Amino acid sequence: MKTRKQRELAQRHQLILDQSIELIHAEGISSVRMERLAQLTEYSKGTIYQHFTGREDLLLSVSNTSLDKQLTAIGAIDSLSLSLREKLIAIIFAYQIMNGQQRSQLELLKFVQSEECQSKASAATLSEHHSLYSKLVGSVYDVIHQAINTQKLQLKNNITADDIFGSVWAFAFGATFLNALSANKTQSLCPEVTEVGLIKLISTSFDALAWEPLSHQYDENALYEKVLILCKSIG
């Protein structure tokens, strides 16, 4: 059981993270500065630095919070009675839903992978990030390999599991990227990827691979709604 001091430190740590997330959503990652956070949380800069070694460490921690929620969603998806194809589609849906349509989220995704961020973040935060990211990647590969091993997905024409993984990542990140740009008025020519459009894209690709069950054998719109409710319950 945690002591009162440990609970207070954890609450303060979470408050700083929550305030950072609000700033990112409202003004973008450039607004996240230690001085600004000190003002908003009413803690000194020194107190903020007790929790995070710097701005890069803080932003990577914010990203880790998002990754952790995505893994929680995937864990919840595991408990649903879904085929392997439905499960992978549900993971794609969850990624898009939880990353949202905000340009700031795209900026964060790009920044945390940069050399600037990863060279300055603390070893502990970076280690946590690599662990969470590996679990996310692993969860996708697990579904693909299970589908291949059970012959629900029979690869032909030299297509590999890595190719399938790459297409899945393109669906998920690509939709997030386009929606972030379409939300920016200066990029008004960029189309938004709607839920219906994403479903059609995935269905066409997986049907072309003859990945069973085929799209006409289950309701992908109902699956999306189910995942949407699940993600909202996680926050």
Side-chain angles (χ1 to χ4, degrees), residues 22-35:
E22 288 183 22
L23 271 178
I24 291 170
H25 288 170
E27 303 175 29
I29 66 171
S30 61
S31 64
V32 179
R33 302 288 177 184
M34 303 313 237
E35 297 84 355

Side-chain angles (χ1 to χ4, degrees), residues 27-219:
E27 303 175 29
I29 66 171
S30 61
S31 64
V32 179
R33 302 288 177 184
M34 303 313 237
E35 297 84 355
R36 183 87 180 276
L37 286 170
Q39 293 173 349
L40 292 171
T41 60
E42 298 183 337
Y43 289 119
S44 68
K45 277 180 61 178
T47 298
I48 304 292
Y49 276 108
Q50 287 177 14
H51 292 267
F52 305 97
T53 60
R55 178 174 179 271
E56 294 79 13
D57 191 49
L58 174 57
L59 288 171
L60 191 59
S61 295
V62 169
S63 179
N64 288 351
T65 299
S66 176
L67 286 172
D68 189 57
K69 287 184 177 181
Q70 290 172 51
L71 287 169
T72 299
I74 291 172
I77 289 170
D78 283 339
S79 66
L80 302 176
S81 298
L82 300 174
S83 67
L84 291 168
R85 169 172 164 158
E86 290 174 288
K87 182 177 177 181
L88 186 54
I89 291 172
I91 291 173
I92 298 172
F93 287 161
Y95 181 89
Q96 192 207 22
I97 292 167
M98 301 193 82
N99 280 289
Q101 299 183 358
Q102 297 177 335
R103 185 178 179 84
S104 57
Q105 186 63 28
L106 178 62
E107 292 173 347
L108 180 62
L109 288 170
K110 290 168 61 179
F111 180 75
V112 298
Q113 297 301 325
S114 69
E115 177 64 23
E116 176 187 359
C117 179
Q118 300 213 3
S119 64
K120 295 181 180 178
S122 69
T125 305
L126 191 58
S127 176
E128 181 187 20
H129 181 75
H130 289 158
S131 175
L132 292 168
Y133 203 80
S134 294
K135 289 177 182 177
L136 182 62
V137 170
S139 68
V140 175
Y141 266 115
D142 284 346
V143 177
I144 295 170
H145 285 304
Q146 285 181 53
I148 294 170
N149 292 337
T150 57
Q151 297 189 333
K152 293 296 183 181
L153 173 60
Q154 299 185 43
L155 300 181
K156 301 176 182 179
N157 301 321
N158 296 319
I159 293 175
T160 67
D162 289 341
D163 295 328
I164 304 298
F165 176 86
S167 66
V168 167
W169 221 241
F171 289 143
F173 186 78
T176 301
F177 180 81
L178 288 175
N179 287 340
L181 290 181
S182 67
N184 183 358
K185 294 180 180 179
T186 63
Q187 301 286 345
S188 58
L189 295 179
C190 189
E192 178 184 353
V193 180
T194 65
E195 292 85 354
V196 173
L198 183 62
I199 289 169
K200 286 182 178 179
L201 178 63
I202 296 170
S203 296
T204 301
S205 299
F206 286 179
D207 281 352
L209 291 168
W211 188 341
E212 299 176 349
L214 300 180
S215 58
H216 69 273
Q217 296 174 306
Y218 65 97
D219 189 341

